[in-house]
Amino acid sequence: MEVLYKGENLLIGNIGHFLVALAFCTAIFSAVSYFFSANNNDDKGWKKVGRISFWIHTAAVTGVFITLFTIIYGHYFEYQYAWQHSSRSLPWYYMLSCFWEGQEGSFLLWLFWDAVIGILLIYTVKSWESPVLAIVCLTQIVLASMLLGIDVGDIYKIGSSPFSLLREKMAANAPIFRTPEYLNQITDGRGLNPLLQNYWMVIHPPTLFFGFATSIIPFAFAISGLWIGKYKEWLKPALPWTLVSV
């Protein structure tokens, strides 16, 4: 028999799922558009489509970021990520740390930094925009796929969604989930690992993942140089970004 659960806020999770899918699809569309632009002598039409797609992608990634933090900060313990990584007793700055304690949050942080960097590249790399952004978008496709959480039959699962419900992640036939009002019994989450309740946990991961994210830029320039036949010209525009990454 199907149990009709009470008190679950499913709307915000559905919004999160939709935004992840949108980020994934727009990254693909932007990559394809920039690819055609680079292969057609920097075609302005394809470049414009690539830009618009990347802006939509960035908006979707930002939306995912906000949605997940809302779930954590709002103590929506029906979601497995909020229950596993946060608790009501944590101060706000450790609530930020809860965001990137889990694998899904870490991938999302990386995805967010790459999206911000991509926007900066659109307006700074000039003639290199199409090939460089095509490579950046390929990275975004891979990172966004890590958040899809789509089952491919019973064989493989693509990524892990941060918007999965607690009852989906745990045994569905567990005694607690046999009652529609199971949320009344979940008054708090597991909380942040005590070993991670340090101000460095607030500072270190965003800085580290910014370094990870910026390392895509010299790589994208190098691949672009091989792609369009500018084997040495890519070094000068890539060097400042390399220093930033280091």
Side-chain angles (χ1 to χ4, degrees):
M1 294 179 62
E2 183 179 354
V3 179
L4 298 178
Y5 297 104
K6 297 180 179 180
E8 290 183 336
N9 190 333
L10 301 181
L11 177 61
I12 192 168
N14 290 333
I15 292 173
H17 282 297
F18 169 76
L19 290 173
V20 169
L22 180 63
F24 179 71
C25 293
T26 50
I28 294 175
F29 201 71
S30 185
V32 172
S33 300
Y34 274 122
F35 175 82
F36 282 125
S37 176
N39 276 359
N40 290 281
N41 297 317
D42 209 25
D43 182 271
K44 301 299 181 183
W46 280 114
K47 181 187 285 188
K48 184 177 180 181
V49 174
R51 281 185 176 184
I52 294 171
S53 299
F54 198 85
W55 268 106
I56 297 173
H57 167 78
T58 302
V61 171
T62 305
V64 176
F65 198 98
I66 294 171
T67 303
L68 182 56
F69 185 72
T70 301
I71 287 174
I72 294 172
Y73 197 77
H75 307 301
Y76 294 118
F77 295 128
E78 58 265 44
Y79 292 95
Q80 188 263 349
Y81 201 88
W83 175 80
Q84 184 174 3
H85 300 292
S86 69
S87 65
R88 298 182 185 277
S89 60
L90 291 173
W92 69 268
Y93 45 89
Y94 286 151
M95 299 292 281
L96 283 173
S97 302
C98 296
F99 186 97
W100 41 73
E101 184 190 23
Q103 175 179 284
E104 298 89 346
S106 296
F107 278 126
L108 179 53
L109 181 61
W110 196 336
L111 187 72
F112 175 77
W113 276 133
D114 267 347
V116 172
I117 289 165
I119 295 298
L120 292 176
L121 290 174
I122 287 175
Y123 296 102
T124 57
V125 294
K126 299 178 182 178
S127 63
W128 289 91
E129 180 184 342
S130 293
V132 167
L133 264 294
I135 303 301
V136 172
C137 287
L138 290 177
T139 305
Q140 294 298 83
I141 293 170
V142 174
L143 289 173
S145 72
M146 296 293 103
L147 302 176
L148 287 175
I150 297 177
D151 290 307
V152 182
D154 296 326
I155 303 173
Y156 185 71
K157 186 171 184 177
I158 303 175
S160 177
S161 173
F163 303 107
S164 296
L165 294 169
L166 183 62
R167 56 183 168 82
E168 294 173 342
K169 286 287 189 175
M170 299 178 69
N173 59 351
I176 190 173
F177 300 122
R178 293 175 186 171
T179 172
E181 298 87 1
Y182 78 92
L183 279 175
N184 293 335
Q185 304 177 48
I186 302 177
T187 58
D188 206 354
R190 293 175 59 183
L192 185 67
N193 187 326
L195 294 176
L196 301 179
Q197 293 186 27
N198 185 284
Y199 68 92
W200 285 113
M201 185 61 183
V202 182
I203 302 169
H204 169 67
T207 308
L208 184 66
F209 278 95
F210 180 75
F212 290 161
T214 50
S215 67
I216 187 59
I217 304 175
F219 173 78
F221 269 108
I223 297 300
S224 298
L226 293 173
W227 180 1
I228 62 179
K230 295 183 178 181
Y231 303 116
K232 294 182 180 179
E233 292 86 343
W234 67 271
L235 289 166
K236 185 176 180 180
L239 183 58
W241 290 105
T242 307
L243 296 176
V244 169
S245 181
V246 172

